[in-house]
Amino acid sequence: GSDLATWSAGQTARGQARLATGEVDGARADFDAAIKKQPGFEPAVIARTSLDLAAGVVAAARRRIEPRFNPKTAGPGLAAVYAATLRASGEPEARDKARALLERVVVGGLGPDAARAQLELARIYRDVGDGTKARAAYAEASRAGSFDARLEAGVLLIDTGDPRGGHETFEQLLKQAGAPPTPALLLEAARARMLMGDHRGAS
């Protein structure tokens, strides 16, 4: 009932807060508790599957989400993390399935879940070498405030022969970053500065 949903939502929110401070084990325990109490609670399933993917436990992630995934009823958040498990499997057929699913769910989507789906779609386009579509999907995800999308879009610019565009992207992200910037952003910004001949700035 609603009490159960409220409890699961609270537990999941606590897990997200723990994750934000780097307390991965505590976050995992919170997500597991929420799922145990309410097996179909989507935010907890998404968060827990994302943790599996981040840890490289792709088979476990897929086992967790596949039985709960219904393409007819799934929202963009669930679709994005399911597609991420398919892409991470490295199987071309699974990747094509993920691409078709995401191309359907991103149409007209707004908000963080839609941005996550656009980000995952951009990664698939990038993986198959379609830079034009990847840039467009990264732009859509960036518009919704996705930091990862902006970072990866900058990397894609450098990798596809536009180091100046990549450099500008990272400099903008550095200006907007809270202190301290993420290690990934610092590394990419340093690489871009080296490519632009700014070795002092890179070091």
Side-chain angles (χ1 to χ4, degrees):
S2 62
D3 287 353
L4 198 60
T6 304
W7 186 92
S8 299
Q11 195 81 7
T12 304
R14 189 174 79 168
Q16 297 283 22
R18 284 178 156 173
L19 197 56
T21 59
E23 205 187 320
V24 177
D25 291 341
R28 188 183 294 114
D30 280 334
F31 300 145
D32 283 341
I35 292 167
K36 191 174 179 184
K37 195 101 165 178
Q38 194 180 357
F41 189 65
E42 201 169 285
V45 172
I46 290 170
R48 187 63 180 84
T49 306
S50 298
L51 273 187
D52 281 343
L53 285 171
V57 198
V58 178
R62 202 163 166 179
R63 274 197 308 275
R64 179 183 306 285
I65 203 162
E66 211 150 33
R68 297 194 170 95
F69 184 77
N70 180 341
K72 291 191 178 73
T73 58
L78 195 65
V81 79
Y82 178 55
T85 65
L86 294 175
R87 185 176 65 83
S89 72
E91 301 159 12
E93 278 178 24
R95 188 181 59 211
D96 290 345
K97 184 178 170 184
R99 178 178 174 168
L101 166 68
L102 290 168
E103 284 175 340
R104 200 168 64 245
V105 301
V106 298
V107 177
L110 295 166
D113 284 347
R116 188 172 186 166
Q118 286 281 11
L119 173 61
E120 198 49 48
L121 185 56
R123 289 167 173 166
I124 290 172
Y125 288 142
R126 178 198 65 197
D127 291 354
V128 298
D130 192 335
T132 304
K133 283 187 175 176
R135 278 191 291 276
Y138 276 132
E140 286 296 325
S142 299
R143 256 198 289 281
S146 169
F147 171 82
D148 287 344
R150 294 174 70 191
L151 183 74
E152 289 177 28
V155 174
L156 183 68
L157 285 171
I158 289 175
D159 291 348
T160 53
D162 183 6
R164 186 176 298 282
H167 176 254
E168 285 169 6
T169 300
F170 298 132
E171 292 302 321
Q172 201 176 1
L173 283 174
L174 280 173
K175 275 197 197 104
Q176 294 165 353
T182 66
L185 174 55
L186 287 172
L187 283 169
E188 292 302 342
R191 180 167 78 118
R193 285 179 180 182
M194 283 175 72
L195 288 170
M196 297 306 291
D198 178 9
H199 297 289
R200 184 191 295 265
S203 64

